[in-house]
Amino acid sequence: MVDTDRHRSDTIRAPPGHDPERAGRPPPPAGDGRPALAVPWAAFRRAKGAGGGLGEGDKAVLRGFGDLEAEIMDRLWSWGRPVTVREVVDDLQQQRAVAYTTVTTVADILHTKGWLRRDKVGRAWVYEPTCTREEYTARLMHQALETTSDRAGALLHFVDRISGDEASALLSALAQVKSRDPE
């Protein structure tokens, strides 16, 4: 005899936190303390042969990289050349165990988001960043500045916390910008 109660749909329970309205859509951001920000992925897509990433006029909201994303980007920025997933995995495994498929997936995600460009070389993809570490940092700083209505106040608090060397570098950068702008 078949236990019909086991087959009744009302006895099947959804996992905790399951929202049937979100079925098929990405989950909401984890509660990791980082702000949940919408990213218009179309802004990151690139036409075949184009440079990829965000252009100067693109308006998109950024979010800091996840741990593995940051480790991958750090290596690519440091190495300054196109690299294969195997090279990244081999270097990462000097500090911790990580699967080749995991790094491949994260590199593909970074490519889809527009942070990496890739080219096929033989049977492998080689990846390289679409922007410099400094450009990425500047975008994050600009994003943070856009979160306040008192930008002058935020800049004052920022400048109050930087070192003398950083203040000198900031003054030098401001002088460069001023020399480029026609008055």
Side-chain angles (χ1 to χ4, degrees):
M1 178 169 202
V2 175
D3 182 2
T4 56
D5 283 342
R6 278 187 38 206
H7 299 288
R8 291 181 51 198
S9 62
D10 63 346
T11 61
I12 299 173
R13 300 192 192 276
H18 174 73
D19 181 0
E21 295 296 316
R22 293 196 59 80
R25 296 197 319 244
D32 58 4
R34 293 182 288 188
L37 302 172
V39 178
W41 297 116
F44 292 107
R45 293 199 177 103
R46 64 184 171 100
K48 187 173 178 81
L54 291 176
E56 189 173 310
D58 289 335
K59 189 77 168 164
V61 180
L62 304 177
R63 178 180 173 169
F65 293 129
D67 291 341
L68 186 53
E69 288 176 326
E71 289 184 64
I72 291 170
M73 292 301 296
D74 182 56
R75 280 162 174 76
L76 271 66
W77 280 323
S78 297
W79 295 341
R81 60 179 174 78
V83 299
T84 63
V85 169
R86 173 52 56 203
E87 291 174 281
V88 175
V89 169
D90 290 347
D91 195 62
L92 282 169
Q93 287 183 338
Q94 293 177 18
Q95 281 86 37
R96 65 181 178 119
V98 62
Y100 180 91
T101 54
T102 301
V103 175
T104 300
T105 299
V106 173
D108 186 58
I109 290 168
L110 287 166
H111 171 259
T112 301
K113 289 180 179 180
W115 295 115
L116 296 179
R117 77 175 51 88
R118 70 180 180 193
D119 293 302
K120 193 84 159 179
V121 175
R123 293 177 45 205
W125 289 106
V126 292
Y127 293 89
E128 62 183 325
T130 58
C131 68
T132 65
R133 182 189 316 262
E134 294 74 20
E135 289 169 322
Y136 171 72
T137 302
R139 290 176 188 165
L140 288 177
M141 293 168 66
H142 193 265
Q143 172 195 347
L145 192 58
E146 286 181 336
T147 65
T148 182
S149 58
D150 183 9
R151 290 184 178 194
L155 287 169
L156 181 60
H157 285 286
F158 174 76
V159 170
D160 192 42
R161 293 179 179 208
I162 63 176
S163 70
D165 288 342
E166 292 167 332
S168 296
L170 179 58
L171 288 171
S172 175
L174 290 170
Q176 288 178 5
V177 169
K178 187 175 183 177
S179 70
R180 286 186 292 187
D181 289 341
E183 293 190 39

